[in-house]
Amino acid sequence: MAHRIAVIGGDGIGPEVTAEALKVVRAAGVDIDTTDFDLGGARYLRDGEILSDGVLDQLRGFDCILLGAVGTPEVPPGVIERGLLLKMRFELDLYINQRPFIGTAPGGSVRHDFVVIRENTEGPYVGEGGVLRKGTVHEVATQGSVNTWMGAERACRYAFELAMTRRKHVTLVHKTNVLTFAGDLWQRAFDAVAAGYPEVTTAYNHVDAACIYFVQDPQRYDVIVTDNLFGDILTDLGGAVSGGVGLASSANLNPARTGPSMFEPVHGSAPDIVGTGKANPTAAILSAALMLDFLGENAAAERIRAACAEAVTGSTSEIGSQIAARVAG
Ligand code: IPM
Ligand code: MN
């Protein structure tokens, strides 16, 4: 049976890179049935729709969601991010953001291969807090970080399960020396999960130190687990030391499979290069490979990753076609 995929090309280069990803999936011989959803900043500017509950309910009926990028400079920051992307992550309970990194850090010589498991539904992203006395010198803004035992525990459990299929090492990244309440919860959840995985070795890094290791010694990592905001920042750095964000893929997963999972490149909509053919579709193609893994199409996913590992040059569609040709054999 065909896998039913909801496609949100989105804004800027999003539709361009998503088209290449679908080209490659079809070339791999995977049977997909796609439905386009016109959502993002451009749609919002046209008729005010961001992601209504009705559209969200339609999305629930699909096996997966493939997203290009959303956001446009004409819309104030936060509107599309919170109303579309974060709404999907929260409402569909996409509690794991899995971001793999393979490459050789600039100036380094040893290849690294690690995965960041970013908690995807909590932290400062939930919108806790508010503003008082706005526009005065006495203005106060608070933005709390929400951390639940369940949220930390399930992120850690996913990381340990993943590590069992890899090199059996998990690093917790946090800032336990300053964020003592949240850090303590995370450390205890991590330790409690670790006790069930005696074969997995563990480490802990403060997030500032982890930034140094990402640049100078990334091969020390296998699986990293961290909170939502640290994971956001670290995964841009992960992309920068692994060939650039043009290669960085991500999976927003609901591992309990109570709804569709969502797959998207780490990069944004890059409105400055839209229509120039300069966008590298590899991150979107590798995100589609993560989608195929989740759909059980592992052989096709492996073929796509192998095709992406070889050098490619050219425009957005030329790169997509080269990778598609390799995948088709
Ligand atoms: C990402 C993005 C999003 C995030 C933005 C667009 C809300 O940066 O997926 O990493 O912060 O999670
Ligand atoms: Mn980000």
Side-chain angles (χ1 to χ4, degrees):
M1 264 230 319
H3 302 289
R4 298 185 60 242
I5 317 289
V7 179
I8 304 173
D11 299 307
I13 60 169
E16 302 170 15
V17 296
T18 306
E20 299 311 313
L22 291 172
K23 188 196 274 182
V24 171
V25 168
R26 292 201 169 94
V30 181
D31 193 7
I32 54 169
D33 174 6
T34 62
T35 304
D36 284 312
F37 283 81
D38 176 13
L39 296 169
R43 169 72 189 272
Y44 170 68
L45 289 171
R46 227 171 40 248
D47 66 7
E49 167 76 21
I50 303 176
L51 177 64
S52 58
D53 291 342
V55 175
L56 187 62
D57 277 342
Q58 287 176 37
L59 291 176
R60 287 184 209 278
F62 287 82
D63 296 326
C64 280
I65 302 165
L66 188 67
L67 185 136
V70 292
T72 173
E74 295 83 45
V75 180
V79 175
I80 304 299
E81 290 87 343
R82 296 209 76 85
L84 178 55
L85 200 58
L86 300 188
K87 185 168 178 179
M88 275 196 285
R89 289 178 183 172
F90 297 166
E91 295 292 324
L92 300 175
D93 204 18
L94 308 178
Y95 62 87
I96 295 298
N97 197 323
Q98 179 165 339
R99 298 183 160 180
F101 298 99
I102 298 176
T104 305
S109 55
V110 185
R111 257 178 106 63
H112 58 260
D113 175 350
F114 66 90
V115 182
V116 176
I117 299 304
R118 163 185 177 190
E119 198 292 320
N120 211 29
T121 55
E122 302 192 341
Y125 276 70
V126 299
E128 194 270 349
V131 63
L132 297 171
R133 309 185 196 118
K134 188 165 182 167
T136 75
V137 291
H138 302 291
E139 181 167 341
V140 180
T142 63
Q143 192 110 40
S145 174
V146 172
N147 299 266
T148 70
W149 178 268
M150 186 187 84
E153 203 265 353
R154 66 187 182 175
C156 291
R157 185 164 300 282
Y158 187 89
F160 277 84
E161 283 293 322
L162 180 63
M164 287 299 288
T165 69
R166 297 173 47 96
R167 302 195 304 279
K168 299 190 173 64
H169 184 74
V170 184
T171 305
L172 172 65
V173 172
H174 208 281
K175 186 74 184 174
T176 56
N177 55 343
V178 173
L179 305 180
T180 50
F181 308 134
D184 181 54
L185 183 151
W186 269 90
Q187 184 72 68
R188 280 182 293 112
F190 182 86
D191 292 344
V193 172
Y197 296 84
E199 290 170 59
V200 178
T201 57
T202 62
Y204 169 79
N205 292 162
H206 291 319
V207 64
D208 46 354
C211 289
I212 297 177
Y213 297 138
F214 264 51
V215 174
Q216 296 187 346
D217 185 29
Q219 59 277 5
R220 69 169 54 218
Y221 295 120
D222 179 21
V223 177
I224 292 169
V225 63
T226 191
D227 88 348
N228 205 343
L229 184 58
F230 294 145
D232 175 48
I233 298 165
L234 273 179
T235 54
D236 266 24
L237 185 56
V241 298
S242 310
V245 284
L247 305 182
S249 57
S250 86
N252 295 261
L253 302 177
N254 173 338
R257 297 184 188 252
T258 56
S261 290
M262 190 254 285
F263 300 82
E264 54 165 345
V266 173
H267 65 68
S269 56
D272 50 322
I273 58 165
V274 66
T276 62
K278 285 189 191 155
N280 186 345
T282 307
I285 293 168
L286 290 171
S287 301
L290 292 172
M291 176 179 79
L292 295 184
D293 281 329
F294 202 70
L295 292 171
E297 301 280 0
N298 306 82
E302 267 317 314
R303 287 214 309 285
I304 292 174
R305 277 190 283 270
C308 289
E310 292 171 49
V312 275
T313 50
S315 68
T316 308
S317 65
E318 283 163 0
I319 293 175
S321 297
Q322 279 173 54
I323 293 172
R326 283 178 196 159
V327 163

